[in-house]
Amino acid sequence: MDTPRIRILATGGTIAGSAGSAIERGYRPGQIGVAELLGAAETLGLDAAFAGRDIAAIGSQDIGWPQWDALHREIVAAMADDGVDGVIVTHGTDTAEETAFLLDLTLPAGKPVVLVGAMRPADAVGSDGMRNLANAVRVAGDTAAAGRGVLVVMSDQVFAAIDVRKAATGGAEAFRGFPRGPIGNVTPTSLDWFGPPDRSGRGARFAWPDALPKVAILHAYAGMDADAVGCSLGNGAAGLVLAGLGQGNAPGPVIEALAISGVPVVRSSRVDQGSVDRNLEVDDDRYGFVAARGLGPAKSRILLQVLLASGMRDPARMQEEFDRR
């Protein structure tokens, strides 16, 4: 097999972070550029040829449209380049699931695209960054990774973008998948897939938008009133996602306010995992709501933004998109 040619696009995050001490808890993300990351990767003896580019040097809490637009453009170019076999995006962990899902919705399921990060900065004792990067190289260079959509590699596991989420604030094994868990296990020297590619030959689900409309997430809580709905609308929200109680519920006044908001409303859940099913606790047909199904609030927001950007506003059609995998 020929040596895989990997394009690495760096955005910052903990994988590029520095604490200035092996035991210091605090650190600054995005301190290590792609050239230094590539230099470190080349010392590992990986069977791959690297080229890289810095897209950003930020913590992923600050990532947004400018970085997403640049990433998408670079990945599309890499996919069209016969000299590139796979793409790796180094990324902070806080919003990796959102970036991965947005790219997954708007890229064809062709060459492997892998997001990777770290839970500990590069100079911390027990740093996981280089192992995760070596694992990502193993995945991005594997021909069997094609046709699976955008992937996320963390803690010796491979997750599909639609399933992955950050489920813990700390610890190297902070990532989980729902409704599927990991779809593969990986180490720097091995890769085991748990099934065949399920999206081979599929084009992009949606065209890349010119911009993403504003969508707000409302976190439900006991005693919540309807003020948050009005505030979000007053700030220009074109759609609303309810991070609801349990099965996506909220106090009666909130549900009523959402029903007359005049914008598309998606019911998700603040619970860590589980499906929000249609018409189970809330009469979605009556209110014109969309049930998020297996998507949490963050991904529900991304999908709703993409749907609105594509001109879709009909709740029934939106529900079909939330039902898809």
Side-chain angles (χ1 to χ4, degrees):
M1 178 179 174
D2 294 336
T3 298
R5 298 156 297 179
I6 308 298
R7 180 76 51 83
I8 298 182
L9 305 174
T11 68
T14 304
I15 194 170
S18 174
S21 166
I23 58 173
E24 181 66 33
R25 187 170 184 180
Y27 68 95
R28 292 180 298 165
Q31 299 300 299
I32 300 171
V34 71
E36 189 172 346
L37 281 175
L38 290 179
E42 287 169 355
T43 67
L44 300 177
L46 303 174
D47 182 23
F50 302 107
R53 179 168 297 180
D54 286 306
I55 302 298
I58 57 177
S60 68
Q61 70 275 7
D62 290 320
I63 207 160
W65 177 254
Q67 294 79 27
W68 285 335
D69 194 39
L71 268 178
H72 190 271
R73 183 169 56 251
E74 291 288 340
I75 295 172
V76 168
M79 284 185 157
D81 188 340
D82 290 338
V84 176
D85 297 310
V87 179
I88 293 173
V89 178
T90 60
H91 198 288
T93 58
D94 284 350
T95 59
E97 64 196 81
E98 289 155 270
T99 298
F101 189 48
L102 176 60
L103 294 174
D104 191 58
L105 292 171
T106 55
L107 290 170
K111 294 177 182 178
V113 177
V114 181
L115 265 72
V116 65
M119 293 299 295
R120 302 179 184 122
D123 55 354
V125 62
S127 175
D128 53 330
M130 278 299 103
R131 182 178 180 89
N132 287 344
L133 182 59
N135 289 345
V137 169
R138 171 70 58 178
V139 174
D142 185 45
T143 56
R148 298 178 187 271
V150 175
L151 303 169
V152 175
V153 169
M154 290 290 293
S155 64
D156 291 0
Q157 296 180 313
V158 187
F159 298 92
I162 195 170
D163 299 316
V164 73
R165 73 191 190 284
K166 186 175 182 179
T169 60
E173 297 183 351
F175 278 71
R176 300 287 185 273
F178 179 84
R180 293 181 297 180
I183 62 172
N185 282 343
V186 60
T187 74
T189 58
S190 65
L191 174 56
D192 295 305
W193 297 104
F194 299 158
D198 57 354
R199 293 171 56 182
S200 296
R202 289 192 195 178
R205 185 168 162 187
F206 297 99
W208 185 250
D210 294 328
L212 290 174
K214 182 180 288 188
V215 170
I217 299 176
L218 306 181
H219 186 93
Y221 53 87
M224 181 183 186
D225 60 32
D227 288 351
V229 178
C231 288
S232 296
L233 296 174
N235 286 328
L240 297 171
V241 173
L242 175 66
L245 309 167
Q247 268 269 355
N249 214 332
V254 177
I255 295 295
E256 296 298 330
L258 290 170
I260 62 173
S261 65
V263 300
V265 174
V266 177
R267 292 190 308 106
S268 185
S269 178
R270 71 179 197 178
V271 176
D272 182 56
Q273 74 176 39
S275 181
V276 173
D277 297 318
R278 188 167 182 82
N279 296 321
L280 184 58
E281 291 190 6
V282 176
D283 192 340
D284 295 303
D285 291 341
R286 173 189 171 193
Y287 292 119
F289 295 157
V290 176
R293 304 302 300 277
L295 296 182
K299 288 183 189 169
S300 293
R301 173 178 172 266
I302 293 292
L303 180 52
L304 181 53
Q305 286 181 297
V306 172
L307 293 176
L308 290 171
S310 70
M312 190 181 301
R313 292 185 62 87
D314 177 60
R317 290 191 61 202
M318 286 184 169
Q319 186 65 66
E320 292 175 359
E321 295 297 336
F322 275 84
D323 289 344
R324 283 184 61 180
R325 284 195 55 84

